[in-house]
Amino acid sequence: NSATVSADQDDSDPSNNTDYEDTLIAESADVTITKDDLVSTVIAGDGKTYTYTITVSNAGDSDADGVEVTDSWPAGFDQNALENIATINPTEGTITEGTNGDFTWNIATLEAGTSETLTVSYTVPSGTTAGDYTNTVNVTTTTTESDTGNNSASDTNTVNELADVTITKDDLVSTVIAG
């Protein structure tokens, strides 16, 4: 920024008629992320489709540029992204598929005070072993952040196995004669 002064009369020292002031403009974003599928227990092979909702928000004063969300998909869960990219639905940005269902969500700019949402559907195949499964997402931005402690979110589901085993025994004889 500069300011210059001039007058109608002769100036004895024109070297001091202009002044410059450098102003540092600092960006400060605060991207946060949440992830939830609204369940804590699922049954392996139940045939139900569950949906994770991932929300990225910018609580900072500046726009967040180069926002990138990475999702580490839990082994045993099947989101079929490699066969059906339509199961991943962002409100903004693009999806890049990785391996084993992992993916990256890129948002060019997340304006200050706004949020974007992504949904991803999944099933739990019958061969999934019982236990706890954690799905974790992380968010980064190329803009300086005021707080990076809120850039990760996880959702843990307990997978139960449920079997309905029956046995039938028949000797194919309906009448037996004693003797």
Coordinates of all heavy atoms in Angstrom, one line a residue, residues 22-23 50 52 75 78 88 97 109 117-118 125 131 134 138 154:
D22 N 3.9 -2.3 3.9 CA 3.6 -3.7 3.5 C 2.6 -4.2 4.5 O 2.8 -4.1 5.7 CB 4.8 -4.5 3.5 CG 5.7 -4.2 2.3 OD1 5.2 -3.7 1.3 OD2 7.0 -4.4 2.5
T23 N 1.5 -4.8 4.0 CA 0.5 -5.5 4.9 C 0.5 -6.9 4.6 O 0.2 -7.3 3.5 CB -0.9 -4.8 4.7 OG1 -0.8 -3.4 4.9 CG2 -1.9 -5.4 5.6
Y50 N -26.3 -49.9 4.5 CA -26.1 -48.8 5.4 C -25.4 -47.6 4.7 O -24.8 -47.8 3.7 CB -25.2 -49.3 6.6 CG -25.7 -50.5 7.3 CD1 -25.4 -51.8 6.9 CD2 -26.6 -50.3 8.3 CE1 -25.9 -52.9 7.6 CE2 -27.2 -51.4 9.0 CZ -26.8 -52.7 8.6 OH -27.3 -53.8 9.2
Y52 N -22.9 -44.2 5.3 CA -22.1 -43.3 6.1 C -22.4 -41.9 5.5 O -22.5 -41.7 4.3 CB -20.6 -43.5 5.9 CG -20.0 -44.6 6.7 CD1 -19.6 -45.8 6.2 CD2 -20.0 -44.5 8.1 CE1 -19.0 -46.8 6.9 CE2 -19.5 -45.5 8.9 CZ -19.0 -46.7 8.3 OH -18.5 -47.7 9.1
A75 N -11.6 -53.3 6.4 CA -11.7 -54.6 5.7 C -12.9 -55.3 6.2 O -13.3 -55.2 7.4 CB -10.4 -55.4 6.1
D78 N -18.1 -53.8 2.5 CA -18.1 -53.8 1.0 C -18.9 -52.7 0.5 O -20.1 -52.7 0.5 CB -18.7 -55.1 0.5 CG -18.7 -55.3 -1.0 OD1 -18.0 -54.5 -1.7 OD2 -19.3 -56.2 -1.5
I88 N -21.0 -43.5 -4.0 CA -20.4 -42.4 -3.3 C -20.9 -41.1 -3.9 O -20.8 -40.9 -5.1 CB -18.8 -42.4 -3.5 CG1 -18.3 -43.7 -3.0 CG2 -18.2 -41.3 -2.7 CD1 -16.8 -43.9 -3.3
E97 N -10.9 -43.1 -6.7 CA -11.0 -44.4 -6.1 C -9.6 -44.9 -5.8 O -8.7 -44.7 -6.6 CB -11.7 -45.4 -6.9 CG -13.2 -45.0 -7.1 CD -13.9 -46.0 -8.0 OE1 -13.8 -47.2 -7.7 OE2 -14.4 -45.5 -9.0
T109 N -12.4 -25.5 -3.3 CA -12.5 -24.5 -2.3 C -13.7 -24.7 -1.4 O -14.8 -24.9 -1.9 CB -12.6 -23.1 -3.0 OG1 -11.4 -22.9 -3.8 CG2 -12.7 -22.0 -1.9
T117 N -21.2 -32.3 2.1 CA -21.5 -33.6 2.6 C -21.3 -34.6 1.5 O -21.5 -34.4 0.3 CB -23.0 -33.6 3.0 OG1 -23.1 -32.6 4.1 CG2 -23.3 -34.9 3.6
L118 N -20.9 -35.8 1.9 CA -20.7 -36.9 1.1 C -21.4 -38.1 1.7 O -21.3 -38.3 2.9 CB -19.2 -37.2 0.9 CG -18.8 -38.5 0.1 CD1 -17.6 -38.2 -0.8 CD2 -18.5 -39.7 1.0
P125 N -20.8 -58.2 4.1 CA -21.0 -59.5 3.5 C -21.1 -60.6 4.6 O -20.5 -60.4 5.7 CB -19.8 -59.7 2.6 CG -19.3 -58.4 2.3 CD -19.6 -57.5 3.6
G131 N -16.6 -58.8 15.1 CA -15.7 -57.9 15.8 C -16.0 -56.5 15.6 O -17.0 -56.1 14.9
T134 N -13.5 -50.2 12.4 CA -13.4 -48.8 12.5 C -13.2 -48.2 11.1 O -12.3 -48.6 10.4 CB -12.3 -48.3 13.4 OG1 -12.6 -48.8 14.7 CG2 -12.3 -46.8 13.5
N138 N -9.9 -38.5 7.1 CA -9.0 -37.4 7.5 C -9.2 -36.3 6.4 O -9.5 -36.6 5.3 CB -7.6 -37.8 7.5 CG -7.3 -38.9 8.5 OD1 -7.3 -38.6 9.7 ND2 -7.1 -40.1 8.1
S154 N -13.7 -40.9 13.2 CA -13.9 -42.3 13.1 C -15.3 -42.8 13.5 O -15.9 -42.1 14.3 CB -12.8 -43.1 13.9 OG -11.5 -42.8 13.5

